[in-house]
Amino acid sequence: GSPASLSRFRGALVAGVLGDCIGGEFEGAEEVPMESVLQHLNSLDDESKGNGILEYSDDTAMARCVVQSLLTRAGFDEQDMARRFAKEYSASPGRGYGSGVIQVLKKLSSPQLSDVYQPARDQFNGRGSFGNGGAMRAAPFALAFPEMADVTRFSRLGAMLTHSCSLGYNGAVLQALAVHLSLQGALNLPQQFISRLITEMEEVEDSEATRSDARILKEAEKPFCERLHRVRDMMDRSKVSIEEVISELGNGIAALHSVPTAIFCVLHCLQPRECLPEKYGGLERTIAYSLALGGDTDTIACMAGAIAGAHYGIEAVPQLWIKCCEGAEDADMNAERLHMLYHQSSPGG
Ligand code: F2R
Ligand code: MG
Ligand code: MG
């Protein structure tokens, strides 16, 4: 598809929802045999089974707030976005939110609150959250802003409403940048794609806050860059086991242990893989592979789904999967509206 085509927007938003809904089945599982993943996916393809709807979790609930806010305000408005997060949580608190972020969402609903970033700063004794909750909802920023500098700036601010630790909000920036590049067709040249991400993240992580957080958490000076170098090394290997992916990149709830992993899933599944059915296209491979890692499967599949969907486009997304997932059709309609907003904001648009 052509860069920033409607098909890519629809693919990104819809496949993100699918990753969340389909991945929810295995969230928190330590080991997920590929056989169980394929069984789960086959059951979606089997219309005769009359499957119920797979519900979305916090990943999609919050991404929907981001989308609605960006569309309604025609740009980033922190007050509006914060209000939407709080309202969504109080309407549907049972979507599997992280145990820490719940405190932020409750405080955000207070009419007395003057600084919407303060509740996030108070988390974890003032250190802020490094969870992947900012990253899991970051894709829409790439679909609203054509300029990379805006994607970086607003995905960071959007994440900081709940995640004030740099290892949380920089994960959101990385996820948004990966979707941004994928939307431009950058995954056609995977080596350049990963090099671009490393170059951008070198700049993003060049800050005192990052250095200080990394020191406290005993991570490399530029934690996401260091992980992206690992992704690049692993891309070059002819065979990589699931165990190696987990030990090198992680599959956990921290942004550092899940965003680079999601990017690896997309890159690894650009080609057919022995462990996956031949009939699968790249998008199906990406989602299946993300689930087989276990751990934070809904979130890793949601992030990988958004990046892969922006690459393959909506035509690659199985219709039967869309039908099974709550919120997928809404996402499809919203993608069209984001596509319009994006092109209105493009130079000459
Ligand atoms: N919460 C879950 N899954 C748990 C099981 C839910 C179950 N299905 C159910 O329904 O009950 N999934 C969702 O949470 C992840 C996103 O989390 P988020 O928004 O980042 O939350 P939080 O609370 O800010 O951070 C998550 C945990 O990370 C640890 N943590 C973060 N920062 C920390 C710090 N500075 N120091 C120490 N620990 C820190 C804490 O354990 C937090 O609770 C997604 O997977 C989403 O799907
Ligand atoms: Mg979730
Ligand atoms: Mg999760």
Side-chain angles (χ1 to χ4, degrees), residues 19 57-58 79 111 173 184 197 288 290 293 308:
S57 76
D58 56 334
Q79 308 283 339
V173 173
Q184 312 304 317
L197 279 181
S290 308
L293 297 181

Side-chain angles (χ1 to χ4, degrees), residues 20 27 57-59 95-96 136 296 298-299:
D20 175 20
E27 193 190 23
S57 76
D58 56 334
D59 306 49
R95 295 271 187 194
M136 73 190 183
D296 197 358
D298 66 331
T299 305

Side-chain angles (χ1 to χ4, degrees), residues 242-299:
I242 297 268
E243 291 74 22
E244 282 172 295
V245 179
I246 297 170
S247 74
E248 295 270 319
L249 301 175
N251 62 357
I253 213 165
L256 188 64
H257 303 154
S258 51
V259 184
T261 312
I263 293 169
F264 177 77
C265 289
V266 178
L267 290 164
H268 186 70
C269 293
L270 287 169
Q271 294 124 37
R273 294 286 163 189
E274 248 174 48
C275 60
L276 292 162
E278 269 177 44
K279 65 172 181 182
Y280 275 9
L283 190 109
E284 291 132 299
R285 286 197 295 271
T286 306
I287 294 202
Y289 190 78
S290 308
L291 304 196
L293 297 181
D296 197 358
T297 48
D298 66 331
T299 305

